[in-house]
Amino acid sequence: MPFHIDDKNTLIQMKQNPHLIYENEIVRVNKNTGLLRTHMNYSYEAYLIKIEHTADGIPKQALFIGSIHKQSNNGLHNADHLTYQNFVTAVNKLCLDLNVHPSICMLRPFEYGLNIEIPWDFKDLIYNIFFHRRKEFRLPMHNVRLVRCGGSKNNYEVKVYAKSEQYPEYCTGKVLRVEIHENRMRELNKKGISRLSDLLVLENHLKLRDVFLDRLQQVVFFDYTINNNVPDDLLPIIDQYKNQNFWRDLVFQDSLDNGRRYNYNLQKLNMLSKKFGSSIWSCILDMLDVQYISNLNLSTDVKLTA
């Protein structure tokens, strides 16, 4: 969870903090002004801290790059469940150690998600996740653990991958991670989430939960378990739905019909999954919701507000 601090008095004191470990110094020349830009890099547990200085050597901004989840596990991993209480404890420790107040820590675009244990095969899941809001999931080269939708030009990305393959030593069973990576903060800012202190408020985590689950409902997932008593007249349609090129063609035609065919076929796919399959993606959404509420230590009857 990256964030930055601009308060000069805090920055001056921070450089003398015994919890910071000096790493190196990088000096660059501003091509437009010819002035030097100096970054002094420090580490603190799971965080890298880059302190930028003005040409006069005065601290200008500190950028924190790291994970609160890993911070709560001594920087080792994020393969377990990050509860609200553990999140608050980790943030309070960071702020206490570095003598900063969370209200002056301005959030940068960050990612948030959940780990859930699943009964399905990772490869079957990953190869059947096709699109999200007409943005295609792509498999990275030489790595079938991760599918990613969107990119830096989009407001956010959706990532789905096998956490237990990333951290087998910290997982029991098959652990799937589903997360949202914000590329811009505008939507969360409108919801009152802009500072680290905002994430110490439980209600704001419920807002994140609403955004998280609402976005994931838009995923095109072909339920490969669709095979129970399917009428013969539906078999050609199912063969189409299992072909990613079919969805690519729908996206291409999206500009011609305002997405009507795409949305119609997504709804029909979900209906077929529910009627003739195991509703795998719907089950995953339910599991994510239960885990989200469990992490917040709330009852499962909390309703979406978005």
Side-chain angles (χ1 to χ4, degrees):
M1 180 168 289
F3 59 89
H4 70 266
I5 296 174
D6 295 325
D7 184 75
K8 290 183 173 57
N9 291 330
T10 300
L11 296 178
I12 292 172
Q13 295 177 8
M14 186 186 301
K15 290 184 61 177
Q16 310 302 321
N17 193 294
H19 291 284
L20 291 189
I21 299 175
Y22 174 79
E23 298 292 344
N24 55 43
E25 180 177 323
I26 299 175
V27 179
R28 293 189 175 94
V29 178
N30 187 310
K31 294 181 180 180
N32 296 323
T33 64
L35 298 176
L36 297 180
R37 289 184 58 190
T38 303
H39 288 83
M40 299 185 70
N41 296 326
Y42 299 83
S43 60
Y44 164 75
E45 298 187 1
Y47 269 86
L48 170 65
I49 303 171
K50 298 183 176 182
I51 301 181
E52 179 183 355
H53 295 72
T54 65
D56 298 327
I58 300 173
K60 179 181 178 182
Q61 184 181 88
L63 173 62
F64 289 67
I65 303 172
S67 164
I68 294 293
H69 196 164
K70 287 185 178 180
Q71 180 78 12
S72 69
N73 289 315
N74 299 315
L76 297 176
H77 67 92
N78 62 345
D80 60 349
H81 301 306
L82 179 64
T83 66
Y84 169 71
Q85 187 56 55
N86 287 344
F87 176 88
V88 171
T89 299
V91 169
N92 285 340
K93 181 180 183 302
L94 182 150
C95 292
L96 182 62
D97 285 350
L98 301 184
N99 194 27
V100 300
H101 197 278
S103 64
I104 66 170
C105 301
M106 306 303 299
L107 292 170
R108 296 285 187 98
F110 62 92
E111 62 185 32
Y112 51 99
L114 295 170
N115 301 319
I116 55 173
E117 188 171 348
I118 60 170
W120 306 285
D121 181 79
F122 287 129
K123 191 172 182 180
D124 288 337
L125 286 178
I126 286 176
Y127 275 105
N128 284 286
I129 300 176
F130 292 158
F131 277 83
H132 174 272
R133 290 184 176 174
R134 294 179 285 281
K135 297 292 185 179
E136 186 172 8
F137 280 96
R138 298 187 181 274
L139 293 170
M141 192 69 68
H142 309 305
N143 185 354
V144 298
R145 293 187 298 103
L146 166 68
V147 286
R148 179 181 301 208
C149 176
S152 59
K153 293 183 179 180
N154 302 106
N155 287 334
Y156 63 90
E157 302 169 37
V158 178
K159 293 194 280 188
V160 184
Y161 59 99
K163 179 59 71 173
S164 51
E165 292 188 15
Q166 183 183 23
Y167 291 113
E169 66 275 30
Y170 296 109
C171 295
T172 58
K174 291 182 287 188
V175 177
L176 183 76
R177 181 159 182 88
V178 182
E179 64 188 26
I180 301 290
H181 186 139
E182 300 287 345
N183 291 322
R184 297 178 177 88
M185 286 294 295
R186 286 179 298 191
E187 183 174 354
L188 296 187
N189 288 164
K190 290 178 181 178
K191 294 181 179 294
I193 301 173
S194 60
R195 303 169 186 267
L196 190 57
S197 56
D198 296 328
L199 292 178
L200 299 179
V201 179
L202 180 61
E203 287 75 10
N204 285 331
H205 285 268
L206 285 172
K207 294 177 184 179
L208 285 178
R209 171 230 188 186
D210 294 351
V211 172
F212 181 77
L213 294 174
D214 178 65
R215 288 173 173 176
L216 293 177
Q217 289 174 3
Q218 304 300 317
V219 167
V220 176
F221 174 83
F222 176 73
D223 188 344
Y224 53 89
T225 66
I226 298 176
N227 56 15
N228 298 324
N229 302 316
V230 178
D232 290 343
D233 62 317
L234 291 177
L235 292 177
I237 297 176
I238 292 172
D239 285 338
Q240 283 185 318
Y241 286 170
K242 71 172 62 173
N243 186 341
Q244 194 159 352
N245 287 325
F246 170 79
W247 298 96
R248 291 189 182 111
D249 292 341
L250 286 181
V251 171
F252 176 75
Q253 297 171 14
D254 182 39
S255 59
L256 304 177
D257 61 13
N258 295 318
R260 287 191 293 270
R261 286 188 60 201
Y262 177 94
N263 294 329
Y264 167 80
N265 282 283
L266 174 56
Q267 293 174 4
K268 189 166 186 177
L269 170 61
N270 291 336
M271 181 272 292
L272 292 172
S273 174
K274 182 177 181 179
K275 190 172 183 179
F276 301 111
S278 302
S279 296
I280 291 179
W281 190 252
S282 179
C283 289
I284 288 175
L285 291 179
D286 289 342
M287 294 166 69
L288 289 169
D289 192 18
V290 169
Q291 188 59 59
Y292 220 124
I293 294 302
S294 175
N295 287 357
L296 298 179
N297 196 28
L298 298 173
S299 64
T300 55
D301 60 357
V302 176
K303 302 299 183 184
L304 295 178
T305 59

